[in-house]
Amino acid sequence: MPRLAANLSMLFTEFDFLDRFEAAAAAGFEAVEFLFPYAYSASVIRERLDRFGLKQALFNLSPGDWDRGERGLSIFPERREAFLTSVDQALDYAMALGCPKLHVMAGVMPPALSPETARATYVENLRMAAGRAEAAGVLLLIEPLNTRDMPGYFLTDLGQARDIIEEVGSPALKLQFDVYHRQIMRGDLAVALREFWPMVGHIQIAGVPGRHEPDVGEINYPYLLDLIDELGYDGVVGCEYRPKADTVAGLAWARRYGIAPKEMSS
């Protein structure tokens, strides 16, 4: 049975961020992920994890200036120093939080940057970052995003990601397979899971369209989650969706996967 992780950047937004840890544990989750921890000290987040018996599964390297539209630094030759600083920052947080995986965002292509230069820079930066991550015992991930939600994003296709991972050539770099993004771009989900399985390091799910609960929309998640079990996945599956209404009320779909409310004493 797949183990589910609550994405605290999207779930339990009825609460302030630091209060979402308790809400996730009370709902029955034992692991969490989120986009970025950097607005808080690692010690503050670690205290919440420990208090509520949660494991940190994943978070992202800093994307640059999110409010100004930056979605990653790793494709820009002129941002290498900032990118490597973000690698070290993320690894420090990962060590403090006991987090085994980090997602490296690529970036949105500006008109003046050629695809060739972006790709060469991306590969070189990932190679350097993977060396640091491997030394720390942390796995780096890259994730293709769909062009509807993230126009201009450099990495959009699983085949493109596979070629880059193979060129980087590090055991510390794998694929983040987001079912939602793949469905929007190409579909053919079961075949894609089997094809790219050897390099899958993390999985995320959401309903399509709308990015709501996995039982809403066109994807047969019971079938896919059974397939993920069959393929031998031993990580957590990140629930990276926007609830249609109240988060807990929308978790009925997850009961079959062991997510059930429990009493909390904070």
Side-chain angles (χ1 to χ4, degrees), residues 97-118:
L97 301 181
C99 181
K101 300 175 185 178
L102 297 171
H103 171 215
V104 184
M105 299 192 75
V108 174
M109 288 286 292
L113 181 62
S114 73
E116 295 78 14
T117 298

Side-chain angles (χ1 to χ4, degrees), residues 60-77:
N60 296 354
L61 270 65
S62 172
D65 191 333
W66 185 271
D67 292 337
R68 294 182 61 185
E70 292 187 329
R71 298 295 184 267
L73 303 173
S74 50
I75 61 172
F76 304 108

Side-chain angles (χ1 to χ4, degrees), residues 87-158:
V87 173
D88 291 338
Q89 177 193 42
L91 287 172
D92 286 345
Y93 269 81
M95 294 297 95
L97 301 181
C99 181
K101 300 175 185 178
L102 297 171
H103 171 215
V104 184
M105 299 192 75
V108 174
M109 288 286 292
L113 181 62
S114 73
E116 295 78 14
T117 298
R119 189 185 190 284
T121 303
Y122 194 35
V123 168
E124 186 174 351
N125 280 339
L126 287 171
R127 191 172 286 137
M128 288 188 290
R132 298 183 186 192
E134 186 174 4
V138 172
L139 184 66
L140 297 185
L141 303 160
I142 59 173
E143 176 190 22
L145 304 182
N146 78 77
T147 55
R148 187 167 72 204
D149 288 351
M150 194 74 71
Y153 194 72
F154 175 77
L155 187 66
T156 62
D157 182 74
L158 291 173

